[in-house]
């Protein structure tokens, strides 16, 4: 491959490379947040740092970064055959790792492929529970990918890699890079989300190392992937590298409520809740900032723009390009600023709870909805999901069940913030979830474990 045709202006032939395969915008953003990015710059003294990603994701970042356009397999027959093999592999994997989250997800056909849900849930008793069979199907699929994606293999070889990292190992677009790299160099996966293992979990190819947020996820990953004997480490998450500094954060007085909407297929009650909160603004002298989820339809929130003391963020519709929107560093930085500037954060069964508590800001989880979906799904069923249970269990999280209870908690948090017992609960929660981040940055932990210095 001719490296001059790629954005490798600073490629040094005398160095080995660290290659990061990044198919999603949010993964790129998390990797290049300030503290993580500084660590990467230090690594450039010893390695070429290569980002294998989409060009459009890099718009808000340093143009001197070594970039290679990510390539995908385009042979339709191979893609079809690989998809069939992955479906069989995933059916067996889900049978072997039938978590409570999956029980709920497949029973109610929630936020997943309806055909797959029906097949798995109705025929799950007939699916073989065999790690050996799963291993063989994966082996066949890996061989197929190796044969029909030589351009990916050639690309990896040309980069002279010491290590290749997949930043979203559940995404099948990244697996060919790890499959080929496994024969060439060291390979690792960085699990990007706190729900990926118990709710989804299927990784097409398990690399040598798996990096997760905390010891809870280490346990989950060991149960899901232990058969393949990977090394599994808790390093924290780059988007929570501020946890160490926030130990000394002093909250300023504020009258702002931050409301973070959810996708309508996850929580269908945001509009009614917001209408209720706006009725309280004048009486209690509140301000309301509505942060619209990047995948939502922005048009339905326009009606709130002209209400006094109500703001909408952002003011541009990114619905058709959410990945690009999430890739910008401003997406995470703005969230931290907005949480800091608010006396309470309101969301529905979201990792926003973790963001809020990490910045010493009280949070309210909306544990109720006025609507039930046609298939019997209601948002309250989220409370059976493994990754949600520890988020809403602590006494520092207000899990409210009605509009009146929501009002009571908002007023209470505006007057008092966290009580002594609640602050201790918050600290315990952060130590459990973000203990690795509280000591070192996630990238520092990764570098130390892999001895990359």
């Amino acid at each position: 491959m001719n490296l001059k045709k790629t954005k490798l202006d600073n490629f040094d032939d005398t160095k080995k490379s660290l290659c990061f395969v990044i198919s999603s915008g949010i993964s790129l953003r998390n990797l290049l947040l300030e503290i993580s990015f500084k660590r990467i710059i230090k690594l450039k003294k010893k390695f070429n740092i290569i980002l294998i990603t989409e060009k459009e994701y890099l718009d808000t970042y340093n143009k001197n970064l070594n970039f290679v356009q990510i390539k995908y397999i385009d042979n339709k027959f191979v893609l079809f055959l690989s998809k069939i093999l992955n479906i069989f592999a995933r059916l067996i994997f889900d049978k072997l790792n039938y978590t409570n989250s999956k029980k709920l997800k497949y029973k109610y056909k929630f936020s997943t492929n309806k055909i797959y849900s029906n097949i798995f849930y109705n025929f799950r008793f007939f699916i073989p529970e065999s790690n050996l069979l799963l291993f063989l199907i994966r082996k066949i699929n890996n061989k197929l990918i190796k044969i029909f994606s030589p351009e990916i293999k050639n690309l990896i070889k040309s980069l002279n890699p010491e290590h290749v990292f997949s930043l979203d190992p559940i995404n099948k677009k990244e697996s060919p890079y790890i499959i080929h790299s496994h024969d060439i160099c060291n390979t690792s996966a960085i699990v990007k989300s706190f729900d990926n293992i118990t709710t989804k979990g299927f990784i097409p190819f398990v690399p040598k190392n798996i990096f997760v947020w905390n010891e809870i996820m280490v346990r989950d990953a060991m149960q899901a992937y232990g058969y393949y004997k990977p090394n599994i480490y808790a390093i924290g998450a780059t988007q929570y590298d501020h946890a160490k500094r926030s130990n000394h954060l002093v909250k300023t007085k504020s009258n702002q409520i931050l409301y973070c909407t959810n996708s309508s297929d996850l929580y269908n009650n945001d509009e009614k809740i917001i209408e209720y909160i706006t009725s309280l603004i004048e009486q209690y002298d509140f301000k309301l900032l509505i942060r619209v989820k990047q995948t939502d339809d922005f048009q339905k929130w326009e009606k709130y723009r002209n209400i006094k003391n109500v703001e909408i963020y952002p003011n541009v519709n990114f619905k058709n390009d959410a990945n690009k929107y999430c890739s910008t560093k401003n997406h995470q930085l703005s969230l931290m600023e907005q949480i800091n500037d608010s006396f309470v954060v309101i969301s529905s069964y979201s990792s926003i709870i973790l963001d809020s508590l990490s910045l010493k800001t009280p949070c309210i989880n909306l544990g109720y909805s006025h609507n039930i979906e046609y298939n019997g799904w209601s948002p309250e069923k989220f409370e059976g999901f493994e990754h949600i249970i520890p988020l809403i269990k602590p006494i520092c999280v207000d899990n409210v069940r009605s509009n009146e209870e929501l009002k009571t908690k908002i007023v209470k948090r505006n007057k008092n913030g966290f009580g002594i017992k609640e602050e201790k609960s918050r600290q315990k929660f952060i130590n459990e979830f973000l203990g690795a981040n509280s000591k070192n940055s996630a990238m520092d932990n990764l570098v130390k474990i892999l001895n990359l210095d």
Side-chain angles (χ1 to χ4, degrees):
M1 178 180 177
N2 186 356
L3 293 180
K4 292 181 179 179
K5 293 182 179 180
T6 63
K7 299 290 184 179
L8 295 175
D9 300 328
N10 302 308
F11 191 83
D12 185 342
D13 291 326
T14 66
K15 295 179 181 178
K16 301 284 281 185
S17 299
L18 301 181
C19 303
F20 296 88
V21 185
I22 312 169
S23 62
S24 71
I26 193 170
S27 295
L28 178 73
R29 180 206 76 197
N30 290 343
L31 179 70
L32 297 184
L33 288 170
E34 182 183 6
I35 298 175
S36 179
F37 183 69
K38 286 181 178 178
R39 195 67 179 84
I40 288 173
I41 294 299
K42 290 182 180 179
L43 288 171
K44 287 179 69 176
K45 295 177 181 178
K46 186 176 179 180
F47 300 99
N48 292 305
I49 306 298
I50 313 293
L51 306 182
I52 304 174
T53 187
E54 300 283 359
K55 185 177 186 298
E56 61 181 6
Y57 296 166
L58 291 164
D59 286 350
T60 62
Y61 298 97
N62 187 335
K63 301 301 182 183
N64 291 325
L65 289 168
N66 280 322
F67 153 74
V68 175
Q69 175 64 41
I70 190 169
K71 296 179 179 293
Y72 304 120
I73 299 173
D74 57 7
N75 185 307
K76 292 183 179 180
F77 173 75
V78 173
L79 288 173
F80 173 76
L81 191 54
S82 179
K83 184 176 182 179
I84 296 300
L85 289 169
N86 273 314
I87 288 174
F88 281 116
R90 187 181 168 195
L91 286 168
I92 298 171
F93 176 84
D94 283 346
K95 178 68 176 288
L96 287 164
N97 301 275
Y98 196 35
T99 64
N100 200 54
S101 296
K102 291 177 182 176
K103 289 178 185 178
L104 290 167
K105 190 170 79 164
Y106 294 141
K107 179 179 180 181
Y108 294 100
K109 283 74 172 179
F110 162 72
S111 189
T112 188
N113 183 289
K114 301 296 189 296
I115 296 176
Y116 178 87
S117 293
N118 279 320
I119 292 172
F120 181 84
Y121 194 74
N122 293 324
F123 297 97
R124 64 190 184 280
F125 298 110
F126 303 101
I127 298 171
E129 196 169 348
S130 170
N131 270 306
L132 178 59
L133 182 57
L134 176 59
F135 174 81
L136 292 173
I137 294 174
R138 286 180 187 266
K139 200 78 172 175
I140 295 169
N141 185 56
N142 296 343
K143 191 68 174 177
L144 182 71
I145 288 174
K146 282 183 178 182
I147 293 172
F148 289 97
S149 57
E151 68 284 358
I152 293 177
K153 179 180 180 180
N154 292 335
L155 169 62
I156 295 167
K157 279 189 170 182
S158 70
L159 297 174
N160 189 26
E162 171 76 17
H163 210 116
V164 174
F165 299 87
S166 168
L167 268 61
D168 186 9
I170 286 174
N171 192 322
K172 289 189 286 293
K173 293 178 180 179
E174 297 188 10
S175 59
Y177 288 87
I178 300 299
I179 290 170
H180 282 298
S181 299
H182 188 73
D183 296 332
I184 300 170
C185 62
N186 293 313
T187 56
S188 291
I190 301 174
V191 177
K192 73 173 184 176
S193 179
F194 74 136
D195 68 331
N196 272 183
I197 299 174
T198 54
T199 306
K200 300 174 184 175
F202 178 69
I203 293 179
F205 184 83
V206 179
K208 181 179 178 180
N209 307 298
I210 298 177
F211 295 103
V212 297
W213 295 14
N214 50 50
E215 294 300 328
I216 297 172
M217 291 177 67
V218 168
R219 178 201 64 202
D220 294 337
M222 190 61 71
Q223 291 176 354
Y225 317 119
Y227 180 81
Y228 296 89
K229 295 182 171 52
N231 303 311
I232 304 173
Y233 306 99
I235 62 168
T238 54
Q239 62 267 43
Y240 296 113
D241 279 336
H242 61 265
K244 185 176 181 180
R245 292 178 298 176
S246 63
N247 289 335
H248 308 290
L249 179 68
V250 177
K251 289 289 294 182
T252 56
K253 187 66 178 175
S254 167
N255 68 335
Q256 177 173 282
I257 299 168
L258 174 61
Y259 190 103
C260 299
T261 74
N262 214 327
S263 298
S264 56
D265 59 339
L266 299 179
Y267 188 76
N268 52 22
N269 210 43
D270 280 330
E271 288 184 85
K272 290 183 179 179
I273 299 290
I274 287 174
E275 287 174 8
Y276 177 71
I277 293 175
T278 56
S279 71
L280 307 175
I281 288 177
E282 186 173 352
Q283 179 184 356
Y284 292 98
D285 190 29
F286 291 148
K287 290 193 301 182
L288 175 63
L289 174 58
I290 303 171
R291 183 182 173 95
V292 180
K293 190 173 179 67
Q294 65 273 9
T295 54
D296 205 350
D297 181 359
F298 281 54
Q299 299 305 315
K300 68 181 181 183
W301 306 104
E302 291 296 326
K303 58 187 175 184
Y304 297 108
R305 287 199 187 278
N306 297 322
I307 299 178
K308 185 179 178 182
N309 290 328
V310 176
E311 292 184 31
I312 310 292
Y313 176 89
N315 57 8
V316 180
N317 190 342
F318 288 93
K319 181 175 175 59
N320 295 325
D321 204 359
N323 239 322
K324 183 177 179 181
Y325 170 48
C326 286
S327 70
T328 70
K329 57 186 177 183
N330 296 329
H331 182 71
Q332 183 69 15
L333 295 177
S334 64
L335 175 62
M336 293 171 61
E337 291 172 1
Q338 290 162 3
I339 291 174
N340 258 331
D341 293 340
S342 304
F343 74 85
V344 72
V345 178
I346 300 173
S347 63
S348 50
Y349 303 107
S350 167
S351 60
I352 293 293
I353 292 173
L354 191 50
D355 291 275
S356 183
L357 293 180
S358 70
L359 291 166
K360 293 188 175 181
T361 304
C363 54
I364 297 174
N365 180 65
L366 299 168
Y368 67 103
S369 173
H370 298 302
N371 303 307
I372 302 293
E373 296 296 330
Y374 74 94
N375 57 2
W377 174 264
S378 65
E380 290 89 334
K381 288 186 171 67
F382 275 123
E383 294 176 28
F385 280 53
E386 280 91 345
H387 66 283
I388 293 294
I389 294 169
L391 285 187
I392 61 176
K393 184 179 179 180
I395 62 172
C396 56
V397 178
D398 296 320
N399 189 30
V400 300
R401 300 295 187 182
S402 66
N403 283 354
E404 280 304 310
E405 190 176 0
L406 173 61
K407 174 184 174 181
T408 299
K409 294 298 184 181
I410 292 174
V411 172
K412 176 187 174 184
R413 295 306 177 190
N414 181 240
K415 289 182 178 179
N416 303 318
F418 285 124
I420 295 175
K421 289 184 178 180
E422 291 167 333
E423 174 58 20
K424 287 182 178 178
S425 171
R426 186 197 71 82
Q427 291 176 6
K428 180 181 178 182
F429 176 88
I430 294 302
N431 286 336
E432 185 176 15
F433 264 74
L434 302 177
N437 287 107
S438 298
K439 298 174 183 177
N440 300 295
S441 74
M443 190 57 64
D444 279 338
N445 289 329
L446 182 148
V447 168
K448 183 178 180 181
I449 290 168
L450 295 179
N451 195 27
L452 296 176
D453 276 328

